[in-house]
């Protein structure tokens, strides 16, 4: 990579300084209070985590290529899948979309110059880093093989590395809480004049719902990890059955956070998809209010269903029944979203740019993931499917097929804004197709494995499962090649990408209509005043080209370039 | 923006003193009540008094009464979610073992119960044998 | 400025929500074990000295009152009174911690430790060696321990705020930090309002 | 032989669970195809042909939005009702069920029959009779799962839990542990062997008259020793048993000792007492309580044969 990455030689000196090049010292990056730069710090760190956790997944799949020992010993395998889960959940997917795209885009969509508490924002990043350092310490201390769920009493009997790992989760949780707190206040207090709740882009709505869940649920994982830590160090006997404690109580504590957490993971993705469907259908998102409020409904209902992870744990039947019943209800607001997204294309003008390809594969994959989630919520059925590969397939369909696919789509969508460069459409679309195919080959087979009874977290398995496991492993290679192509596309764009206009997609939200690509350090030269909805492409057309749809002042956009 | 009104509300000293006085009285009351045996009522009464005390602190000391209503909503939400956590967990723990597939009490308790029953039961068996042998 | 003030206050309230949910885990653990073993918990509240707990309640309520008074004073730009009230608050908090220290050490001396290390001896504590007493004391130590940490943090912040007030950083126009600290301190008080009856009385 | 999805069913519950599965499955397939077909149709029909074209606004249809809420609501409630009924059946054992005690420990299953007979790693049951497996765990969480019977239940230390089933086929099936329990979680297997009722009686009352070392070999597998100890000289988690008997052992603290019968017994009953050099101290201590003394003798006899 040449050093011209950030500042291409072709830079036009008449263009005002942007947030990337106005100050280039390392210090100005590491101590920046600019939400856009903090977003980039997150982007780099979180991508590294994703890469590491993804490579671990590839190793897990490689080991499962044949029954018996393929590459590694059971202890190594157990550590690999645990680390894969822990990294993916706590350090990758929970912070991913809010910390990267929420940070970068949300304040601009609000017409604000920054988040409400910029210092806190930077602090969140460093707290996240400390969490990451602790994870590395735990890995070096060895023997983290609890799975990402840390179930007692097993976890409380392991070596000291569990102490570091629980601390890491505890601290990463704080980062997440502070980000959520910051965003809630920002959305309440920093909206541009005229930007009513009914005119908020749906991405903002979903970040708002996510933040509420983060603030309400994350403290509970904090206290859970603290209690686990004390269980391990002082044997306090709250969860350890040998001391009269109740291991099932631990599961309640864990899932009280971790089920809502799956909505921390998926809601921001919903937001991205809403925006993408609107922009690339050039059409008002159908049922705007329903889509906006269903996020809040999902966030709320998400707190009432955690026990569906415990149907065979030995919890009371009453609670299983209540939890199962409410679990189904979540399908309804989610269905409202899915159907409205599909409806958005109706009589629209659908473009098949790379972000839209991701949005369409999201719809396909997430629907499968969601419907199998509902199947798992069926009491009599979950008894058979619990802790089999059916569950593994379900959650990869929603987390990888849902959140990660949406996040990659969103990254392509906002890439021109973030870097000022276009990426190569052909490479982008090939990668999207590869990922779609690879993903299905990898994980659809796992549904079949699951119904046939293949338990999860198994190093070794019966010979009758081998063929399906091999297909799945081959799929993971296709999937990985697609993801590496994405990485390559982005690096290629940084080095050779064409310069992007301020609004290459013809979007109507403020970050496209009122800022340059890349934006100036303070986002806006003048405070925008909003008069239209976020998907009002007629208003956009009235002010010609990359005009200002969400405001009435066309001269603002003309003063650019 | 016209938030000036609630940003600068000054709570009168007399009100603060009154509330402080009531808090002290309620504390004395809660101790006094706990000394009397109300049976099943002891716990609800103690919690009710604590809730009243909390409301006093929140509304007056924390000035929620004069504050932006969003903040009141925020407090309401936290109370709501704490109750959800509590109630849904109790759905399990209070009814654990309601179907025959799981035992209601842990094994250690079952053993304790057994050994507690064993002792008098043995004595009883011995006693009932006595007249039989006396025949 | 006003918007800034409003924003920080809202941020503080949301932070308090996270604190409440952090403690909620302990309250849930308490309730679950209490529902399972009501007699044990009933008996064990007798192991704690309600006089010490009651004293601490009064001290903490007093400190809450003085914090409220300090805000009242700064709103009238009476900096002297503000500093005085903050200092009284600190003294109350210190008294609270001293009593806690006495309570903890007497328990440790009599082998009353959380969980597995629970081995009570001595006239007062020996009768409490019943099944599930270790759980009660685990919950007691964890709850009061975390609460104590909050008191210590609060003391630090109040001391800092008092110094800044003395230096003249605040007046009736700008006193956000005092107000936010006050909110935090009241929450610490509220938690204790619940801990006291739950642990010492019933 | 089972279907594309479900493995063959072999209990009275399996048919019911399968119909539940297929009910959910077909509803899901229909919804999924509906969503994807509409998506593909709209995407192609309304694809962008003119760059500057701004399509007309489509007003939201309240009727459609309401339908989106109510149709799924009805469907899910139907499914819930079925799932709930099946769940109750699966969890309430008939009072006449034949009860077998099970103890799970890292990483094996011990079963005890009403007449005191004990077996490890093999669950023998009569065909056509309800059987209840009443279980607890010695150490961490485990879970008892028989795919062909569609039953699963976590096994929790310090608490009894149970599953019941009524087998309908004379055959043998896998029992899996489905709650992660450490290194050999995937090796914590057992077989459920369904007999004709009269064969079952015969089995129940028969003693084991095989030679000690042959019985030892079965115990070696049933107790999952084989997940950590090889018999061919290769190193897995623990030392191999090949040529172990009579060899000289060196321990972590530098001391040495000859592997005689006493040493083997001690290594099995108190694994932590002497740690073989360069190996981790991970062998479960629970063997000390779950293995019976004569079982240990049999295993030692077996180890002696591995030259
Ligand atoms: C992004 C993360 C994410 C998301 C969004 C979801 C979404 C859902 N999940 Fe999932 N889930 C996980 C992540 C996620 N899950 C993880 C990580 C685990 C495993 C944890 C572990 O054990 O390690 C898990 C496990 C899990 C279980 C436990 C399985 C077991 O261990 O036995 C259950 C059971 O009920 C469940 C249910 C659901 C449901 C009902 C939804 C719903 O929200 C889905 C709603 C969506 C739809 C329903 C599709 C769209 C709707 C329509 C097209 C309309 C028509 C719909 C109907 C008629 C219903 N999930
Ligand atoms: C976000 C969540 C997430 C994601 C994305 C993934 C992704 C993948 N997972 Fe993972 N998985 C989990 C969360 C996730 N997983 C969890 C929570 C568990 C449970 C753990 C437990 O049981 O405790 C699990 C368990 C799990 C198992 C079960 C193990 C077992 O039970 O024994 C398997 C097996 O196949 C698996 C495979 C994979 C594969 C092949 C991928 C692939 O999709 C990975 C592909 C990724 C890469 C190859 C990296 C490439 C990255 C780059 C090139 C960087 C690109 C940068 C940019 C795009 C900016 N996962
Ligand atoms: Cu036992 Cu897994
Ligand atoms: Cu869930």
């Amino acid at each position: 990579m040449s050093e011209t990455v950030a500042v291409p030689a072709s830079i036009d000196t008449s263009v005002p300084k942007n947030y990337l090049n106005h100050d280039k010292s390392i210090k100005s990056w590491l101590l920046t209070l600019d939400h856009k730069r903090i977003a980039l710090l997150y982007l780099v760190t979180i991508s590294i985590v994703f890469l590491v956790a993804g490579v671990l997944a590839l190793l897990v799949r490689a080991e499962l290529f044949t029954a018996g020992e393929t590459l590694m010993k059971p202890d190594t395998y157990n550590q690999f899948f645990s680390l894969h889960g822990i990294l993916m959940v706590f350090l990758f997917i929970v912070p991913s979309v809010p910390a990267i795209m929420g940070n970068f885009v949300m304040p601009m969509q609000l017409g604000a110059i920054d988040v409400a508490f910029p210092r806190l924002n930077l602090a969140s990043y460093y707290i996240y880093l400390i969490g990451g350092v602790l994870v590395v310490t735990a890995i070096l201390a060895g023997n983290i093989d609890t799975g990402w769920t840390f179930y007692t009493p097993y976890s409380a009997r392991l070596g000291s590395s569990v102490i570091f790992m629980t601390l890491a989760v505890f601290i990463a949780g704080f980062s997440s809480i502070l980000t959520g707190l910051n965003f809630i206040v920002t959305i309440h207090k920093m909206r541009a004049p005229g930007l009513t709740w009914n005119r908020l882009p749906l991405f903002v709505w979903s970040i708002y719902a996510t933040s509420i869940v983060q603030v309400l649920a994350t403290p509970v994982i904090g206290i859970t990890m603290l209690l686990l830590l004390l269980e391990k160090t002082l044997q306090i006997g709250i969860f350890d059955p040998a001391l009269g404690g109740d291991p099932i109580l631990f599961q309640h504590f864990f899932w009280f956070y971790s089920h809502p957490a799956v909505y921390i993971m998926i809601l921001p993705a919903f937001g991205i998809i809403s925006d993408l469907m609107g922009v690339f259908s050039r059409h008002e998102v159908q049922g705007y209010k329903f889509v906006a409020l269903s996020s809040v409904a999902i966030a709320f209902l998400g707190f009432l269903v955690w026990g569906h992870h415990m149907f065979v744990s030995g919890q009371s039947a009453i609670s299983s029944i209540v939890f199962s019943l409410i679990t189904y209800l979540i399908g309804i607001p989610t269905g409202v979203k899915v159907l409205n997204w599909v409806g958005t294309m109706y009589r629209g003008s659908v473009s098949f740019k790379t972000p839209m390809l991701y949005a369409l594969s999201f719809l396909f994959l997430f629907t499968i993931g969601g419907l199998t989630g509902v199947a798992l919520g069926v009491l009599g059925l979950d008894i058979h499917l619990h802790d089999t590969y059916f569950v593994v397939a379900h959650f990869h369909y929603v987390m990888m097929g849902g959140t990660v696919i949406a996040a990659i789509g969103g990254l392509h969508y906002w890439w021109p804004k973030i870097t000022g460069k276009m990426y190569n459409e052909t490479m982008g679309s090939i990668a999207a197709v590869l990922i779609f195919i690879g993903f299905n080959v990898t994980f659809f087979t796992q549904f079949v494995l699951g119904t046939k009874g293949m338990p999860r977290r198994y190093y070794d398995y019966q010979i009758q499962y081998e063929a399906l496991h091999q297909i799945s492993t081959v799929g993971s290679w296709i999937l990985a090649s697609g993801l590496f192509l994405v990485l390559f596309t982005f690096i290629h764009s940084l080095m050779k990408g064409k310069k992007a206009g301020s609004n290459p997609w013809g979007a109507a939200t403020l970050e496209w209509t009122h800022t340059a690509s890349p934006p100036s350090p303070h986002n806006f030269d003048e405070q925008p005043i909003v008069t239209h909805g976020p998907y009002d492409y007629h208003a956009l057309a009235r002010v010609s080209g990359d005009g200002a749809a969400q405001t009435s002042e066309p001269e603002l956009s003309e003063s650019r370039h | 923006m016209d938030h000036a009104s609630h940003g600068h509300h000054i709570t009168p000293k007399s009100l603060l003193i009154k509330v402080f006085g009531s808090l002290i009285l309620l504390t004395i009351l809660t101790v006094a009540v706990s000394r009397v045996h109300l049976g099943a009522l002891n716990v609800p009464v103690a919690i009710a008094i604590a809730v009243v005390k909390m409301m006093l602190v929140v509304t007056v000391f924390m000035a929620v009464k004069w504050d932006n209503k969003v903040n009141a909503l925020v407090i309401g939400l936290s109370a709501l979610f704490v109750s959800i956590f509590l109630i849904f967990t109790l759905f399990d723990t209070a009814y654990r073992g309601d179907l025959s597939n799981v035992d209601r009490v842990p094994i250690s308790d079952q053993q304790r119960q057994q050994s507690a029953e064993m002792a008098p039961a043995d004595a009883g068996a011995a006693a009932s044998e006595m007249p039989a042998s006396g025949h | 400025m006003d918007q800034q003030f409003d924003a920080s206050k809202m941020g503080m309230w949301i932070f308090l929500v996270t604190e409440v949910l952090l403690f909620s885990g302990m309250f849930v653990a308490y309730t679950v074990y209490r529902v399972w073993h009501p007699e044990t918990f009933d008996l064990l509240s007798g192991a704690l000295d309600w006089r010490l707990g009651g004293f601490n309640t009064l001290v903490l309520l007093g400190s809450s009152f003085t914090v409220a008074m300090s805000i009242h004073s700064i709103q009238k730009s009476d900096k002297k009174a503000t500093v005085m009230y903050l200092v009284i608050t600190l003294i109350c908090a210190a008294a609270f911690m001293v009593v806690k220290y006495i309570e903890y050490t007497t328990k440790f001396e009599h082998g009353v430790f959380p969980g597995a290390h629970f081995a009570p001896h001595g006239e007062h504590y020996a009768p409490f060696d019943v099944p599930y007493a270790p759980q009660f004391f685990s919950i007691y130590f964890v709850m009061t321990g975390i609460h104590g940490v909050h008191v210590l943090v609060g003391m630090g912040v109040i001391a800092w705020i008092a110094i800044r007030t003395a230096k003249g950083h605040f007046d009736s126009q700008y006193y956000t930090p005092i107000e936010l600290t006050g909110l935090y301190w009241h929450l610490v008080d509220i938690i204790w309002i619940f801990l006291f009856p739950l642990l010492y009385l019933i | 032989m089972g279907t594309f999805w479900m493995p063959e069913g072999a209990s009275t519950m399996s048919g019911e669970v399968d119909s539940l599965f297929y009910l959910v499955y077909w509803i899901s397939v229909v919804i999924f195809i509906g969503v994807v077909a509409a998506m593909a149709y709209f995407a192609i029909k309304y694809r962008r042909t003119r760059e500057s074209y701004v399509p007309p606004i489509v007003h939201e249809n309240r009727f459609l939005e309401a339908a989106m809420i109510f149709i799924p609501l009805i469907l899910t409630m139907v499914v819930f009702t079925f799932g709930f009924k099946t769940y109750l059946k699966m969890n309430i054992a008939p009072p006449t069920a034949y009860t077998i005690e099970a103890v799970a420990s890292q990483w094996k299953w011990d079963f005890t029959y009403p007449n005191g007979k004990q077996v490890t790693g093999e669950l023998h049951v009569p065909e056509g009779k309800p059987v209840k497996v009443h279980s607890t765990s010695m150490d961490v969480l485990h879970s008892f799962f028989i795919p062909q019977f569609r039953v699963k239940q976590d096994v929790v230390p310090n608490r009894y839990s149970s599953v019941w089933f009524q087998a309908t086929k004379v055959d043998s099936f896998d029992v899996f542990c489905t709650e992660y329990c450490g290194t050999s979680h995937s090796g914590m297997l057992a077989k459920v062997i369904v007999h004709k009722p009269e064969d079952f009686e015969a089995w129940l009352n028969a003693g084991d008259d095989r030679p000690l070392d042959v019985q030892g070999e079965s115990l070696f597998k049933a107790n999952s020793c084989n997940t950590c100890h090889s018999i061919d000289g290769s190193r897995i988690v623990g030392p191999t048993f090949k040529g172990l008997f009579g060899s000289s052992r060196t321990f972590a603290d530098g001391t040495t000792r000859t592997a005689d019968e006493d040493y083997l017994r001690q290594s099995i009953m108190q694994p932590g007492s002497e740690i073989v050099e360069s190996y981790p101290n991970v062998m479960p201590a629970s063997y000390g309580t779950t293995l019976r003394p004569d079982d240990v003798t049999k295993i030692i006899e077996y180890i002696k044969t591995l030259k």
Side-chain angles (χ1 to χ4, degrees), chain A residues 107-411:
Chain A
M108 287 198 271
Q109 289 194 330
L110 294 179
I113 56 166
D114 208 319
V115 293
F117 309 113
R119 269 170 225 283
L120 195 63
N121 202 13
L122 182 65
S124 308
Y125 173 72
Y126 281 104
I127 295 174
Y128 169 82
L129 266 194
I130 296 175
V133 169
L134 278 169
V135 169
V136 175
T137 321
I139 294 173
L140 294 181
N143 253 342
I144 291 290
D145 68 338
T146 55
W148 79 282
T149 48
F150 299 102
Y151 275 13
T152 51
Y154 184 72
S155 57
R157 295 192 185 169
L158 284 182
S160 58
S161 49
V162 174
I163 297 182
F164 292 114
M165 199 50 105
T166 46
L167 267 181
V169 172
F170 182 76
I171 287 174
F174 269 98
S175 160
S176 167
I177 289 177
L178 295 178
T179 306
L181 185 156
N182 210 339
F183 286 2
I184 295 179
V185 178
T186 306
I187 295 171
H188 268 274
K189 304 284 176 190
M190 311 272 287
R191 298 193 308 276
L195 189 56
T196 57
W197 288 92
N198 282 334
R199 286 185 187 149
L200 284 183
L202 287 165
F203 182 67
V204 174
W205 264 107
S206 66
I207 289 286
Y208 182 66
T210 310
S211 303
I212 293 177
V213 183
Q214 273 176 317
V215 164
L216 287 169
T218 319
V220 176
I221 193 75
I223 188 76
T224 309
M225 288 296 131
L226 205 63
L227 287 175
L228 180 57
L229 200 82
L230 294 173
E231 190 74 69
K232 169 137 194 60
T233 47
L234 302 176
Q235 285 91 45
I236 57 172
I238 306 278
F239 301 137
D240 190 345
L243 303 169
D246 186 32
I248 300 172
L249 189 61
F250 175 84
Q251 300 176 19
H252 284 294
F253 274 56
F254 182 82
W255 291 114
F256 180 85
Y257 165 75
S258 292
H259 184 82
V262 310
Y263 298 108
I264 297 179
M265 305 169 193
I266 199 70
L267 283 172
F270 288 168
I272 294 178
I273 297 300
S274 302
D275 271 18
L276 293 184
M277 291 312 284
V279 171
F280 292 93
S281 309
R282 197 172 283 160
H283 201 270
E284 184 107 5
V285 176
Q286 274 303 300
Y288 171 89
K289 275 189 194 154
F290 288 92
V291 176
L293 291 177
S294 61
S295 292
V296 180
I298 292 171
F300 176 72
L301 287 174
F303 278 93
L304 308 177
V305 302
W306 77 81
H308 66 208
H309 296 272
M310 300 165 59
F311 289 157
V312 300
S313 68
Q315 73 176 357
S316 77
I318 290 283
S319 57
S320 289
I321 289 164
V322 172
F323 282 125
S324 167
L325 192 62
I326 304 174
T327 297
Y328 296 100
L329 297 185
I330 292 202
I332 289 159
T334 320
V336 167
K337 277 182 191 292
V338 169
L339 299 177
N340 277 307
W341 289 326
V342 173
T344 301
M345 290 188 291
Y346 173 64
R347 300 186 63 191
S349 167
V350 181
S351 138
F352 292 100
K353 291 272 164 43
T354 308
M356 187 61 166
L357 294 183
Y358 283 102
L360 294 175
S361 37
F362 172 94
L363 280 183
F364 183 99
L365 301 174
F366 178 76
T367 307
I368 297 183
L371 290 170
T372 51
V374 174
L376 287 169
V378 181
L379 281 171
L381 199 51
D382 185 60
I383 293 188
H384 178 63
L385 297 175
H386 174 73
D387 268 352
T388 64
Y389 265 76
F390 194 90
V391 178
V392 175
H394 155 67
F395 68 70
H396 283 93
Y397 262 84
V398 278
M399 298 209 288
M400 175 80 201
T403 309
V404 178
I405 296 273
I408 298 177
L411 204 53

Side-chain angles (χ1 to χ4, degrees), chain A residues 75 78 145 154 282-283 286 312 321 332 340 342 347 349-350 380 383-384 386-387 451-452 457-458 460 538, chain D residues 3-5 7 46-48 51 53 55 58 65 73 83-84 152-154 177-178 180 182-183 185-186:
Chain A
D75 275 325
N78 294 341
D145 68 338
Y154 184 72
R282 197 172 283 160
H283 201 270
Q286 274 303 300
V312 300
I321 289 164
I332 289 159
N340 277 307
V342 173
R347 300 186 63 191
S349 167
V350 181
I383 293 188
H384 178 63
H386 174 73
D387 268 352
T451 50
K452 294 226 178 293
R457 297 172 171 175
Y458 260 32
D460 189 7
H538 289 275
Chain D
T3 60
F4 178 69
W5 292 102
Y46 301 110
R47 70 188 175 280
R48 189 169 296 178
E51 232 2 271
Y53 172 63
V58 178
E65 299 285 344
L73 191 64
F84 164 67
K152 185 181 287 129
Q153 175 65 51
D154 278 12
C177 173
T178 45
Y180 183 70
T183 311
H185 164 60
S186 64

Side-chain angles (χ1 to χ4, degrees), chain D residues 8 17 38 69 76 101-102 106 115 146 148 164-165 184 206 213 221 223 225 228 230 233 240-242 254 286 292-293:
Chain D
E8 76 171 314
V17 174
I69 294 177
T76 49
E101 299 290 330
Q106 283 169 326
N115 70 353
I146 307 174
Q148 279 81 0
W164 81 273
F165 51 79
S184 292
D213 60 319
K221 288 187 185 129
N223 288 291
C225 315
C228 294
S230 76
T240 182
F241 283 169
K242 186 175 181 186
S286 57
R292 285 173 303 162

Side-chain angles (χ1 to χ4, degrees), chain A residues 458, chain D residues 105 107 109 141-143 177-182 185-186 188:
Chain A
Y458 260 32
Chain D
S105 56
W107 293 280
W109 297 98
L141 298 177
H142 301 276
S143 191
C177 173
T178 45
E179 188 65 79
Y180 183 70
C181 54
H185 164 60
S186 64
M188 185 162 163

Side-chain angles (χ1 to χ4, degrees), chain D residues 239-253:
Chain D
T240 182
F241 283 169
K242 186 175 181 186
L244 170 60
F245 186 73
S247 70
S248 166
R249 315 303 298 159
T250 314
F251 303 110
D253 58 6

Side-chain angles (χ1 to χ4, degrees), chain C residues 23-57:
Chain C
F23 276 99
S24 74
M26 290 314 303
F27 283 104
V28 169
Y30 173 90
T31 317
V32 164
Y33 279 97
R34 181 165 189 113
V35 168
W36 272 336
H37 312 289
E39 338 71 39
T40 310
F41 273 55
D42 221 21
L43 174 77
L44 281 158
S45 60
L48 304 178
D49 190 340
W50 66 269
R51 275 157 302 206
L52 290 181
F55 172 78
N56 260 352
T57 311

